[in-house]
Amino acid sequence: MTIDDSASMDDKNSCGEMPANRSKNDLAQQLVKKKIRQLIQGNEMNEKNSSMHDKKCLAHAARLPSLCAPGVRFPSGSPDLTTSRQQHPLPIEKHAMRAESGLFKGLNPTVTIASKVLVIGFVIFCAVLADQAGAIFQQASTAVLNNAKWFYLGLVSAVLFFLLYLMVSRFGHIRLGKDDERPEFSFISWVSMLFSGGMGIGLIFWSVAEPMWHYADNPFTQGMSEESAAMAMRLTFFHWGLHPWAVFIIVALSLAYFAYRKGLPLTLRSILYPFIGDRIYGPIGHTVDILTVAITAFGVSQSLGLGVVQMNSGLNKVFGLPIGIGVQLTMIALIMFFAIASVMSGVGRGIRRLSEWNMVLSVVIVLVVLAIGPTRYMLNTFLQSTGDYANNLVGMSLWSDVNADSGWQNWWTAFYWPWWMTWAPFVGMFIARISRGRTIRELIGGALIVPTLVTFIWMSVFGGSALHEEQQAYQAHEQAIASGELAADSEFMGGAILQATQEDNTLALFTLFEALDPGLLGSVLSMLAVLLLATYFITSADSGTLVLCILDSAGSSEPPQAIRVVWGFVIACIAGALLYAGGLQTIQTASIIAGLPIAVFIMLMTISLYRTLRREPMAAAMLPPQARPDAADIDQASGQAAS
């Protein structure tokens, strides 16, 4: 007989059935057992109040709409829907998907084999028939953007506002794990890993290039004017602000909730459990995971390929290193060597330490540019652009260029949103992996607000510096016309940074450093930027490899070491093959098409998550223990504390 069973019998006897000959020793033994049970549960409420609380939670859950499809319930191995204090073993189906022995020990053989066949076959098609594949995907992506743009714009905006609602609602107290579980990583380490696994690479690549493109041309202002400079920062903030992080976080939140609180696998198949139940362990679930693996592998490989091109440009700018396929393939081999070593050491060591290094180096570069650049202009740009962004957030979110239909939005906003969605399975799963033990409010607030503010600072420093240099170049051009050095009808074609951007996006950042300081300091900044690019690529590659391994191992947070090496090698080969054959642009175009089914899946997971959250205990019952009222004081009808 267990302690709980014995205590339950004792409680029953104490309610009117206590034997007349019960000794004082028996009574003392009962009290000791009862105290032990309370300590184990971590609950100092007396038995009477605890029973009343459980009954009211059950009554509240019974009044809510059904969570699942008819006949579907969470597996018995998951925590109970109405009492999150319980924690049971994982469902047996989760382990049954993994091979117990042989070559695929610890892996899901179906997903492991099928995903690699799909990925390698598609890469061969894009590399060998790059022109034909590019034409097909270009036509398909144009059709998707023209006809589904409204869906992309509406869905991403709806997801953002849904997350903001969850953050301030009663659901914010729900912990992604057991109620007494605490985060695995410190806040600083956690935020550092968010950038390393998220958009750190893109911030380096586009922090100068995108403001330059919007400064030269946008549908709202005249190009290369003071108004276009302000609009350039507003549009850049919009494309790199709350909306992309919302796409990542809805995936991360859904995965973390269903995996850590409901005991389901840490894979996207788990999102469908409320709809199809145990069928997630069959062909439907395998198909979801296989497609997720393929999209993740393409995204990481393409990022690696494009990244080494920018690194090659930087090394050419600083050291005169020739730009060529041989140099770029060598870079890919070196980056993946360090990435494999990092992913084999685990999240708590390799990835965490590299991410913290990335953050330190990023801060150093920002501080140096702030010191030698137009400091006052950059700080004013940050304040003004942040306010401009906040003031126009709703309008920009829902603007669809319905009247002019100029096509500009298809090149930028409507291109970005599906692009971020193709990254969402990878980034979202990585964020979920490092967010266990945090509450919903902590995850949304920390991963939505903090990275957005850091992004705004980064963009204001580098984008603001570039805009200031361009405005200085424009003023010099006007003065040259006034002094007669240039003809009156001489047209301003942009300064050095804008012209370098129009020639090659990868040159924008390094041209800015040269403009800020043509001497030694500018070269040092370029070298630091190349180093930062390399470390960001390593952390992105190892976090992407980890996600692929988690998917192959049916959601295991610690997949086998061998599969980590295999995926690292495969990603390096894919990136090298696409770079050599010129198929990177083809993969990029195909990713936009893949954004449409992912968008539908994100819509489903939002509905699934909300329906499941409504089955959690009442609002007052989910407050922290120190703020939670006694069960007897909770109003059953409203779920709030009685006045």
Side-chain angles (χ1 to χ4, degrees), residues 509-525:
L509 181 65
F510 303 109
T511 306
L512 169 65
F513 290 153
E514 186 179 24
L516 291 175
D517 190 306
L520 177 63
L521 188 55
S523 298
V524 171
L525 283 173

Side-chain angles (χ1 to χ4, degrees), residues 114-398:
S115 61
K116 289 175 180 57
V117 171
L118 177 62
V119 168
I120 295 173
F122 188 79
V123 168
I124 292 175
F125 170 67
C126 292
V128 175
L129 301 175
D131 293 337
Q132 296 90 325
I136 294 173
F137 294 143
Q138 183 62 49
Q139 292 177 357
S141 64
T142 301
V144 169
L145 290 176
N146 286 337
N147 296 289
K149 181 177 71 173
W150 63 271
F151 179 60
Y152 287 143
L153 299 176
L155 177 66
V156 175
S157 299
V159 166
L160 171 60
F161 294 122
F162 172 69
L163 289 173
L164 293 175
Y165 159 72
L166 288 183
M167 185 176 67
V168 300
S169 73
R170 62 189 177 98
F171 304 117
H173 295 294
I174 298 175
R175 192 167 295 279
L176 302 173
K178 295 183 290 186
D179 281 353
D180 58 351
E181 197 166 357
R182 289 299 177 264
E184 179 181 358
F185 303 101
S186 68
F187 183 77
I188 297 299
S189 297
W190 182 61
V191 172
S192 300
M193 287 189 283
L194 290 178
F195 277 100
S196 298
M199 56 176 62
I201 300 172
L203 290 177
I204 300 175
F205 191 89
W206 288 105
S207 58
V208 175
E210 181 164 345
M212 288 296 95
W213 284 110
H214 297 324
Y215 173 69
D217 178 55
N218 68 76
F220 306 102
T221 62
Q222 180 182 354
M224 289 183 284
S225 63
E226 293 182 0
E227 293 77 12
S228 67
M231 181 58 66
M233 293 307 301
R234 183 202 299 180
L235 293 172
T236 303
F237 276 23
F238 178 57
H239 292 151
W240 294 84
L242 294 173
H243 288 73
W245 283 104
V247 174
F248 299 156
I249 294 169
I250 189 64
V251 177
L253 176 58
S254 301
L255 284 171
Y257 178 79
F258 284 107
Y260 302 143
R261 196 162 182 88
K262 298 303 178 186
L264 294 170
L266 185 62
T267 63
L268 287 180
R269 70 173 72 205
S270 298
I271 308 299
L272 299 177
Y273 196 93
F275 300 112
I276 63 176
D278 288 341
R279 283 181 289 173
I280 66 167
Y281 301 108
I284 297 177
H286 294 333
T287 301
V288 170
D289 284 354
I290 290 169
L291 293 177
T292 304
V293 168
I295 292 171
T296 300
F298 295 149
V300 175
S301 301
Q302 178 189 289
S303 176
L304 184 61
L306 293 175
V308 297
V309 173
Q310 186 179 22
M311 289 176 60
N312 198 176
S313 298
L315 293 173
N316 174 262
K317 193 83 172 177
V318 178
F319 300 108
L321 190 70
I323 297 177
I325 187 65
V327 175
Q328 294 165 3
L329 291 178
T330 303
M331 289 181 182
I332 289 177
L334 289 174
I335 289 174
M336 287 312 303
F337 172 79
F338 289 108
I340 292 173
S342 174
V343 77
M344 291 186 69
S345 66
V347 178
R349 296 181 60 187
I351 297 178
R352 177 181 63 82
R353 291 174 181 174
L354 279 173
S355 299
E356 291 172 351
W357 162 256
N358 288 342
M359 188 60 68
V360 171
L361 187 55
S362 299
V363 170
V364 169
I365 295 177
V366 166
L367 291 178
V368 172
V369 174
L370 268 174
I372 68 174
T375 306
R376 185 176 66 88
Y377 184 89
M378 288 183 281
L379 295 177
N380 286 332
T381 296
F382 171 72
L383 290 178
Q384 177 176 307
S385 300
T386 301
D388 195 19
Y389 169 80
N391 191 46
N392 294 277
L393 179 61
V394 175
M396 290 190 297
S397 299
L398 303 179

